[in-house]
Amino acid sequence: MSWFPLNRAMGTAGVKCLKITSPSIFSRRILPSTFRAAAPGYVKTRLFSTAEGDSPSPEPVSLATPPKPLPQQARVVVCGGGVVGLSVAYHLAERGWTDVVVLEQGKVTCGTTWHSVGLVSTMKATRTDMAMTRYSADLYKQWEAEGEGVGWKQCGSLNVARTLDRMIHLKRQHAVAKTMGVESQVVTPAEIQDICPVLRVDDLQGGLWIPGDGALTAPDVAMVFSRKAKAKGVQVIEDVGVEKVITENGRVSKVVTSAGNIKCEYFVNSAGLWSRELGKRTDPRRVNVPLHACEHYYLVTKPITGTNPLMPVIRDYDGYVYFREWNGGLLGGGFEPSPKPCFHQGPPDKFEFQLLQEDWDHFQVLLTEILHRVPAMETAEIRQLVNGPESFTPDSRWLLGETAEVANYFVATGMNSSGIAGAGGVGKQVADWIIDGRPSLNMWAYDIRRFIGHHNNKRFLRDRMQESFPATAVLKYPREEYTTGRKLRCSPLHTRQEVAGAVFGETMAYERAMYFKLDDDDSPENEDRRMWTYTKPMWFEAAQEEYWACKERVCLMDMSSFAKFELECISPSHSTLSASEEVVDFLQKLCSNDIDVDIGTIVHTGMQNKYGGFENDTTIARLDHNHFYMICPATQQSRAWTWLARHMPQDGSVHLRDVTSMFSGINIIGPHAQQLLADVSDISTSRSDFRPMSCKKIDVGSASGVWAMRLTHTGEDGFILYIPSEYALHVYDILMSAGKDYGVRNAGYYALRHLRIENFFAYWGLDLDDRTTPMECGRGYRVKFDKGDFIGKAALEQQRDHGVNKRFVHFQLEDYDVNLDLWPWGGEPIYRNGRNAGLTTTCGFGFALDSMVCLGFVRDFDDKGVEQILKNSNDFVMKDAKYEIDIAGTRFPAKPSIYTPKQNVTYVDPSFIPAPQKV
Amino acid sequence: MPKRNKASGANLIRFKLRNARIPDAVQSPRLTPQMVTSILRMNEEAVEESYGPVRSYVKNQLQSNKPIEDRSAQGHLVHGSASLFGVFDGHGGCACAQAVSDRLLSYIAVAMAEHDILAAINNGKLDPTTDLLQHIGDTNRLVNTDLATVHKQSLANFAAEAMAIAHFDGESVKDALVSAFLRLDRDIVTEALPSNLQGGSMDMSCYFDTLAIAFSGAVGCVAYIDGTDLFLANVGDTQAVLGVHNDNRWEAVPLSDTHNADNPSEVERITRCHPNEAPNIIKNRRLFGELVPLRAFGDVRYKWTKTDLKHLLNTKQIPKHVMSVFGDNLIPHKYRTPPYLDAEPEVMHHILTPKDKFLVIASDGLWECLSPDKVIQLVAGHLDGQQVLVNYKPNEGATLKEVNEVLSNRRVSLKNRALDSNTATHLLRSALGPDHGQVSAQLTLPQPIVRFYRDDITITVIFFDSEYIKDKDIKHTR
């Protein structure tokens, strides 16, 4: 039943090909066969024929089978019989959870899986991506070896580069792949020609050859998942659509289907194109599943004589296109820059084995590139142009994990056209997540909690498709910002900053000034100095100015994007706040640091999961006895809320409020900050009167109710003012005018980033994640084991007593020229005595150290690549160790440090500034 | 377009607008894009019906005057294979333009008719108003029955007289067109003569209608298309321009001359007929300082004798409002040797070739906004854009290279895809704007002012069937 002739056995490939190329089979396999009543405007096409042999075919077999009765209850209900849903079910069953029901509204694979091209590439953007796709690839290879018949063809893949930047990108991938033992090879145009003679190579810079990659028959993979899951007891039920998911107390309780109700503990939304709409049908509170459908085109030719059946998969992403061999012909598809989003009003209920009307004019841009790269296709005839809708997410990464809105409601969807390559790894991770409460890899990049409500806005999603669809192909530079969906959340200072020359970036749709253009910066003339690049970016000088202003004078930085929460007790039985302890007790349980401190004191603390990893890294200010103000990274807005809400006392005594939009934050950084704040407020800001890590409610100018906190998140002295938003402009203006003689200026996030990286400040989401413990990042001193029980205590005690898995290290690159060499951007392999020891997390230039600084975790891998426990991590990192950091293939020596380097510590009370006194 | 005192009026109004300080209508459009589009499309019409060399035609109209004074008419000759397309632009009211659009094509049909047809009309076997001409498209015929009887009688008389003239069959198309124009004008002029009222052949209200027709005026342009023969008969300042595709370039070929003071030969023609009166006749580039076109239907103020006009003024039954538009000077100053005006058309003959792709006939409202060259470019671009409206499907067996070549060409055409599928509407929008703010401003001009900014616009675009013409061409040369 395989779509692809070479599935069964490589040896009989030739014979199969011959058989397949007979016209009658073509018409059955590829051309439209049965047209049933299709939704208007959609083409109903079957790409592959009915079954021969053991593999169940979607339609006829199901028709023959009498409908199974729906079970009354199940532990897990998976909605969606595509390759991902089936993989989740399979992996649950593999781990012994067999009380699983998969519901498919049509037939298995009928949504998107059936028209998948079936490419399995392991060369991905990050290590986690690679780990997951490699897991998939290994699984499929194993199945093929076991005779399951998934059409696996290990033809390798060849990613080619037309530009030097693409070449750098490939080399960076190559460097990471090496650390994982993925075989890959940087090749020259001549070598490309040897590997794949049909390619035009005269305009190529080179490429990356990955011999272990392959292609397969996507629906067959889904069928094997289904068959293996069923064999373990999973029920796969077709023709049953999920109408509603009912929740009780914020947890999944029941699934209402077209064939009756199923009580369940867990629900997995793997509904692909339908996921967003399905999420909305959650009662009483809808679940946001931000994805949108987009048309994806590929063309299949009739057989071309001389086509090598083992031709590698070609990815020429500078021309947006990819190729594979297909039944003696070639398949060429792509990810064009101006795609056509579809199903804006939601996909039709019935869309089984259907395609969309093909738009040749739209495909032309890809066709030109296809013919450019493979001129032999010019004389080929068309078998079919396929326009199949696929779902894409706002950041082109998968949507996985438990949702913020409903406990035990998981998603595994939004596959961004890499469903087959991802399915195995995704199924495994989501199954682990359900069973263990966390995946076995750091999945933050794919965690659905990285989004907030606005991301589910339909118009935003449709606009973002213009970037997230081509993202598969278009080279995305480090830290490159999106251009769609911008100016959504703006702080009150936005316009002022814009006038001051701010260049904005976006986090959680919040506009943040990244840097302020220098007066002599005239961007159009700086054509050769680009904003997005692998080398020194054009904002470097501007960030440098801001950095020194923070170090030597004073800067204002808009911190409004940080997620902010207030926790207090509003239980009626405790009318006086001071009498009760609910919030303290609650936070003590969640935080690893001691938060039962004096009123007006600020604590940096992690919130650990039971494995000791950072669920969140926050700054908590005790405003009153039972009233706390909590500041988290902007990206934590959804996740932090979920974590807090899920652990809240059931009696409702603790009240949690998201006050992100209520308060604007202005960071006053620098040695003159204390004098400046004293000038505009009515308090003494001397270090004795206003201690570091303390907070006060003060008046600034004519504005009242401003929370001033003596911390800056950078390691420098200064204050953050949290101002009720409507007063923020006033406060900003008054600071700006009062600060004139202190040399006050605006600073952006690049300056902040450089300060904190140089000062060895780890940030959650960038350096820290839920698999990193405080002991591993030098924050053991913030864990108070003697304060009583807290989540993750046992795991941390274990690490304290027996050693950690990794250690956070500050590296300074040596023999490195910041002006000429490629920059590290995070994700570069670290080599310890020639052996891979991990990857960098974040990097930035240290202006005071005058060297490039990379932060990263150092691990001890044994010969098999298994992480060893570090008994004495200080010694392991510092003693007898020579480090190198690999930037796109070039290894730079690096000097390690586990503390903030001495020369970088500023003395915040310069002797020539008298401490301000107020009478 | 306003025929009288345009310049000074416009200046006055603009001056007033500046002082009024109302929001800028272009910067702050009062209409939404949807409203603009629905207004522009209100009168659009498209007939996709192949008839001889005519593949299809589209038309549209936008009013400035209230009621609109432009008219258009289309029809096929029942006997024969000719198509007729007329665009008429009235002035001093819409009555004359209405009458001309109702009647002129039938007059042409009669003038073209062969002897036996005319005989049949005379025998009463054929009705000359309905049996000779098949109207196509929208026809807004408003004539009341009494008036229709009068018109029908005039037409029957024309048929009878035509038959009486021996060897009418041999008359060339050109002569037939001229005689139809002249005859219709003569009928309009004579039907309104006061003698008709006194003779008792008409009742009072019917007579007033004929008066209204005769005292208003109309210019017009009629295309007569038969096989590869294209005749254009033109009276006044309506224009017809042919779009010719030559070596990948588009060329605008005007097929009519405008009859106004900008045309020296026209001025010369009039002054030749009225020697020694030249300074009196053309004043301010207008006939008697009043009328822009130098040829027109109706406008009996420049055709009747002074006696007739005076007689009319003295006729008590005539309600004042019929004449009041002319004020006290119904009779133009120094009105000595009428008629000063006639409706003799200038007829041009063009043999269609496969390079001739379309013909645009439009009232001067369009030509004041857009040059013929621009109009042809716009139509050609639109035509190009329309070709890609249909989804492409590769032919069976086409190679990818061939497919890509077709698609690359279509890609260029895709850029020409216009907002409006109707070519006439596309021209209309381009004439007014094409930006939304400009179009909105044009469409929201208050009624008393709008005429100073633009005239009524009527556009008919006729698309030719090049295959048919090629075919005919070959037969012809053989």
Side-chain angles (χ1 to χ4, degrees), chain A residues 14-47:
Chain A
V15 181
K16 285 266 181 181
C17 257
L18 241 155
K19 204 172 148 193
I20 289 295
T21 45
S22 76
S24 65
I25 303 232
F26 275 163
S27 57
R28 277 174 58 216
R29 285 187 177 240
I30 297 288
L31 297 174
S33 55
T34 48
F35 285 81
R36 290 181 303 185
Y42 309 129
V43 190
K44 181 144 230 165
T45 311
R46 302 262 334 253
L47 283 192

Side-chain angles (χ1 to χ4, degrees), chain A residues 485-510:
Chain A
R486 293 296 298 272
K487 281 212 181 191
L488 268 174
R489 300 170 75 195
C490 297
S491 94
L493 313 180
H494 185 271
T495 319
R496 283 279 195 280
Q497 294 179 319
E498 208 169 25
V499 170
V503 175
F504 291 93
E506 167 257 333
T507 297
M508 303 297 266
Y510 216 113

Side-chain angles (χ1 to χ4, degrees), chain A residues 887-903:
Chain A
I887 304 174
T890 309
R891 291 192 188 181
F892 293 93
K895 194 174 89 184
S897 165
I898 46 175
Y899 303 106
T900 307
K902 278 264 163 37
Q903 65 265 48

